[in-house]
Amino acid sequence: MRRKQTHIFIKIGVIFALLCTLFPLNVRSAASEETGEPIKIGANYELSGSAASYGQQMLEGLELAVAQVNHAGGLLGGRPIKIISYDNKSDITESASVAQRLVSQGVVGVVGPALTGTTQAQLPILEQAGIPSVSPSATDDAMPFDKNGNVLKYFFRVCFSNSYQGQIGARFVANELGAKRAVVLTDQAADYSQGLVDAFSEEFQQLGGEIVFDTAFQSGDTDYSAILTSLFGIDYDVIYLPAYYNEAGLFIKQARELGITQPIVGTDGYSSPVLLELTGPAAANDIYYTDHFSPESDDPAIQSFLSDYQIRFDKPAGTWQALGYDAARLIFDAIERAGSDDPAKITEALAATTDFRGVTGTFAIDANHNPVKPAIMIELQQGTIHSAKFVK
């Protein structure tokens, strides 16, 4: 990184740190008024439909980040950030339409969507327009590449990939839980689940583990009794279930009601209050899942983020708000380091990121436009977070 870029990066880091500790985020002071033409940031999120819980939380993370920057006087010497936001309705076709509208309105960068499918629908439009995007949560391994295997120039993300997450889960199961025999369940309707199962199974077996039973279910299933009863009589140590919170919550509840006590290990799709609403506290016992963020951290920056979010939205923040916040702040940081709102220069600055201090970790952006950072393993006991630790 050039010296000028380093000074700018330090400057914006100090601004964010001061904001988190000195200013209430729901109040504007006369001293912090912005001047100049607004810098438009697009938001393509699932605000309704099946993934609305994710998209709404990520949009709130963006809104918090924008409130902080604008309260401090904006970017590039006083220009405010303006959010241009549309609901993609958790629909692939609608996501592409939203991307086209954002381009037509002159955004210089886009955050979102939340899901792999809706993100893929947006990518060709933004690539053609030369507009950078940062995904908070599209974890598919193939996401950063075109059909020829070339890295997409304008796509970046702040979340780790499925294969990395699956490998981390396998290492935790083998090394921390001491499991030798695993049951693996796959959502056959979700590429997300299939990719995670493949990565987990390969790594677990390389570590000396054995997959003793594997079967499939489908997104939207509500009755898992047939799968669960088939587990009786099988000798196994752990269940690996990469799924979203709706299916995972119901599966966990039904498993515990049938007396199945083995640890259940999952992925970032578990990270939602809805999971515990579905399981109930008593059933959410010996549950582990890989995640990007832990509210239990004693890092002052994370605690300030949690406090600021609570003040602004009157509810606690979690993983998806944190990822949405980091995706937004990464773009803002790139704008400052670029010294410009030119999308091409912002893209160059994003690719040159070497030491971004986010609330989901401090990371660099690698050659494939992925963040280089560890994962966190969350442990639930009796419906509450019992521990959270980094795993590599």
Side-chain angles (χ1 to χ4, degrees), residues 153-220:
K153 182 175 181 179
Y154 296 98
F155 174 75
F156 302 83
R157 55 184 170 190
V158 296
C159 57
F160 41 68
S161 67
N162 285 340
S163 61
Y164 179 70
Q165 189 173 186
Q167 291 164 2
I168 289 293
R171 293 170 201 163
F172 176 81
V173 164
N175 300 330
E176 301 295 327
L177 297 183
K180 300 295 185 184
R181 299 164 62 83
V183 166
V184 173
L185 307 176
T186 309
D187 182 346
Q188 62 185 356
D191 291 340
Y192 166 81
S193 183
Q194 295 175 41
L196 284 158
V197 163
D198 290 344
F200 173 88
S201 299
E202 181 178 354
E203 184 75 6
F204 186 61
Q205 290 174 102
Q206 287 181 356
L207 293 171
E210 179 184 2
I211 308 299
V212 296
F213 181 78
D214 65 271
T215 190
F217 63 98
Q218 186 163 318
S219 301

Side-chain angles (χ1 to χ4, degrees), residues 1-2 4-13 16 39-41 65 69 74-77 79 81 108-111 131-134 153-158 325-358 363-365 369:
M1 182 183 297
R2 294 191 297 272
K4 180 179 178 181
Q5 290 177 322
T6 302
H7 288 326
I8 292 172
F9 178 76
I10 292 172
K11 177 182 176 183
I12 195 170
F16 276 113
I39 299 171
K40 298 178 182 178
I41 299 296
V69 169
L75 299 176
L76 301 180
R79 295 177 60 185
I81 299 294
V108 303
V110 175
V111 289
I131 304 297
S133 67
V134 178
K153 182 175 181 179
Y154 296 98
F155 174 75
F156 302 83
R157 55 184 170 190
V158 296
Y325 180 77
D326 273 0
R329 286 188 56 222
L330 182 62
I331 290 183
F332 302 160
D333 173 63
I335 291 171
E336 283 289 273
R337 285 187 286 119
S340 171
D341 65 351
D342 179 353
K345 293 182 179 179
I346 296 169
T347 301
E348 291 175 2
L350 285 167
T353 300
T354 59
D355 192 27
F356 178 78
R357 189 167 186 263
F363 58 86
I365 294 295
H369 296 177

Side-chain angles (χ1 to χ4, degrees), residues 103 138 190 221 236 250 282 309 323 340 358 382:
V103 170
D221 286 352
Y236 64 98
L250 291 172
Y309 181 89
L323 285 168
S340 171
Q382 299 300 313

Side-chain angles (χ1 to χ4, degrees), residues 29 49 52 57 74-75 100 111 120 180 196 202 209 225 243 254 267 298 304 306-307 367 383:
S29 67
Q57 293 174 77
L75 299 176
Q100 292 170 336
V111 289
Q120 288 173 328
K180 300 295 185 184
L196 284 158
E202 181 178 354
S225 57
Q254 293 170 30
T267 53
D298 57 5
S304 292
L306 293 169
S307 175

Side-chain angles (χ1 to χ4, degrees), residues 124-316:
I125 296 162
L126 297 186
E127 287 290 311
Q128 182 176 10
I131 304 297
S133 67
V134 178
S135 171
S137 58
T139 54
D140 185 79
D141 280 71
M143 188 66 69
F145 306 101
D146 65 18
K147 62 182 180 181
N148 297 316
N150 300 311
V151 176
L152 295 171
K153 182 175 181 179
Y154 296 98
F155 174 75
F156 302 83
R157 55 184 170 190
V158 296
C159 57
F160 41 68
S161 67
N162 285 340
S163 61
Y164 179 70
Q165 189 173 186
Q167 291 164 2
I168 289 293
R171 293 170 201 163
F172 176 81
V173 164
N175 300 330
E176 301 295 327
L177 297 183
K180 300 295 185 184
R181 299 164 62 83
V183 166
V184 173
L185 307 176
T186 309
D187 182 346
Q188 62 185 356
D191 291 340
Y192 166 81
S193 183
Q194 295 175 41
L196 284 158
V197 163
D198 290 344
F200 173 88
S201 299
E202 181 178 354
E203 184 75 6
F204 186 61
Q205 290 174 102
Q206 287 181 356
L207 293 171
E210 179 184 2
I211 308 299
V212 296
F213 181 78
D214 65 271
T215 190
F217 63 98
Q218 186 163 318
S219 301
D221 286 352
T222 58
D223 183 359
Y224 297 94
S225 57
I227 293 176
L228 291 167
T229 54
S230 67
L231 299 182
F232 291 109
I234 297 175
D235 179 19
Y236 64 98
D237 306 312
V238 66
I239 297 172
Y240 185 64
L241 173 67
Y244 295 118
Y245 55 84
N246 282 323
E247 290 76 21
L250 291 172
F251 181 91
I252 291 167
K253 177 179 173 60
Q254 293 170 30
R256 296 304 187 234
E257 287 175 345
L258 287 175
I260 293 174
T261 60
Q262 283 89 341
I264 298 175
V265 177
T267 53
D268 57 354
Y270 286 30
S271 189
S272 170
V274 177
L275 180 87
L276 295 178
E277 292 172 9
L278 292 171
T279 63
N285 203 42
D286 286 333
I287 308 299
Y288 304 85
Y289 60 91
T290 42
D291 208 346
H292 311 260
F293 171 79
S294 170
E296 303 302 304
S297 171
D298 57 5
D299 185 325
I302 292 176
Q303 290 305 312
S304 292
F305 161 74
L306 293 169
S307 175
D308 293 343
Y309 181 89
Q310 182 73 45
I311 290 170
R312 187 170 183 85
F313 294 103
D314 194 28
K315 59 183 179 181

